Amino acid sequence: MYEGRKFPQFYITASSPCPYLVGRMERKVFTHLIGEDAARLNDTLSQGGFRRSQNIAYRPACEQCSSCISVRIVVDQFHPSRTYRRILGRNRDLVRLEVESRATSEQYSLFRRYIDSRHSDGGMAEMTVLDYAAMVEDSFVNTHMVEYRLKPRIRLAGPDPRKGELVAAALTDRLADGLSMIYSFYDVDLSHRSLGTFMILDHVERARALGLPYVYLGYWVPGSDKMGYKERFRPQERLTPEGWRLAE
């Protein structure tokens, strides 16, 4: 139960075409994440199946559909499969950097190439550099950017990993009980690295090191190719009307 100074006001959007399932319509319920209680409210709502976008927390509220299912990886029980271990091995030359949630031209360039290649017909296709900056920087919660860079082959002025090429990045919230991956993107020309999968695996290891029990992946949507990959990260809990339950 939320114990902030003021109970948040919730709103509902008008119906619009669903981005995940053809022929479906979606509506969302949302509230604002602003002020000194924003981080605590974000924790509470995330545990209740909400997702964050800038200063908005939202969740589906569709009239005739309940396909969107919140999922989170159970960190202590997660053990990488042989396939996942190979992915981790292929990316052992990457350096992780946790930096402030500040947009850079380097990040936007990588983001733009990713969107143009993978999601050119999606809702982010028209995002300008200012839109990107708002996505990264407009927040009252505990959030940061996680950059993944190639280790520099030549050390010009000491072992500064920032000199390596940026190949992937994730905007990540730190919650009271886990890490929530808000949005991630990567170099699409490096498909052999499976960077999207690698970032999730790395977030599991980060959560384990921090003593956090979960990594929140957002919504799994059965029947949606865009969201199908989330089912592969087991064991995972899924939010049901009876609460979080371990997936069979």
Side-chain angles (χ1 to χ4, degrees), residues 126-168:
E126 303 301 322
M127 284 184 69
T128 66
V129 66
L130 294 179
D131 296 327
Y132 174 79
M135 180 180 76
V136 172
E137 298 179 3
D138 287 358
S139 174
F140 287 83
V141 305
N142 187 355
T143 190
H144 57 279
M145 288 294 296
V146 185
E147 296 184 340
Y148 296 90
R149 295 178 177 271
L150 289 169
K151 292 180 181 178
R153 295 182 178 180
I154 300 176
R155 295 181 178 178
L156 299 178
D160 184 356
R162 289 174 175 81
K163 294 183 181 299
E165 179 185 356
L166 179 69
V167 298

Side-chain angles (χ1 to χ4, degrees), residues 78-95:
F78 183 87
H79 302 286
S81 64
R82 180 178 300 178
T83 297
Y84 287 159
R85 290 197 299 270
R86 285 198 294 266
I87 292 172
L88 289 168
R90 285 199 295 270
N91 291 286
R92 62 181 177 272
D93 59 339
L94 297 186
V95 176

Side-chain angles (χ1 to χ4, degrees), residues 7-180:
F7 193 82
Q9 291 184 310
F10 290 86
Y11 309 89
I12 193 162
T13 66
S15 294
S16 61
C18 175
Y20 306 120
L21 298 174
V22 177
R24 305 280 183 91
M25 301 296 288
E26 71 164 1
R27 300 180 75 184
K28 294 186 178 76
V29 60
F30 69 95
T31 190
H32 296 281
L33 295 170
I34 56 175
E36 61 184 18
D37 288 329
R40 182 167 50 177
L41 178 59
N42 190 40
D43 283 343
T44 301
L45 293 180
S46 294
Q47 293 164 9
F50 279 71
R51 291 289 284 170
R52 184 180 72 82
S53 177
Q54 295 175 231
N55 292 322
I56 296 292
Y58 68 91
R59 66 170 298 170
C62 307
E63 295 177 348
Q64 298 179 346
C65 180
S66 57
S67 294
C68 293
I69 302 171
S70 295
V71 297
R72 62 188 187 186
I73 301 171
V74 183
V75 171
D76 285 347
Q77 299 178 36
F78 183 87
H79 302 286
S81 64
R82 180 178 300 178
T83 297
Y84 287 159
R85 290 197 299 270
R86 285 198 294 266
I87 292 172
L88 289 168
R90 285 199 295 270
N91 291 286
R92 62 181 177 272
D93 59 339
L94 297 186
V95 176
R96 178 210 306 145
L97 287 173
E98 299 173 30
V99 299
E100 291 185 12
S101 52
R102 294 288 180 267
T104 68
S105 58
E106 186 182 24
Q107 290 172 10
Y108 180 71
S109 178
L110 181 64
F111 168 82
R112 189 72 263 166
R113 295 199 307 272
Y114 172 79
I115 291 294
D116 291 344
S117 175
R118 296 296 176 88
H119 302 287
S120 59
D121 60 344
M124 292 185 169
E126 303 301 322
M127 284 184 69
T128 66
V129 66
L130 294 179
D131 296 327
Y132 174 79
M135 180 180 76
V136 172
E137 298 179 3
D138 287 358
S139 174
F140 287 83
V141 305
N142 187 355
T143 190
H144 57 279
M145 288 294 296
V146 185
E147 296 184 340
Y148 296 90
R149 295 178 177 271
L150 289 169
K151 292 180 181 178
R153 295 182 178 180
I154 300 176
R155 295 181 178 178
L156 299 178
D160 184 356
R162 289 174 175 81
K163 294 183 181 299
E165 179 185 356
L166 179 69
V167 298
L171 179 64
T172 303
D173 289 354
R174 178 166 177 176
L175 306 176
D177 66 348
L179 298 176
S180 178

Side-chain angles (χ1 to χ4, degrees), residues 229-245:
Y229 70 91
K230 298 179 181 182
E231 184 185 17
R232 301 196 300 266
F233 294 89
R234 304 288 190 99
Q236 67 177 227
E237 292 182 355
R238 298 173 182 172
L239 187 58
T240 73
E242 293 75 37
W244 291 96
R245 294 290 184 269

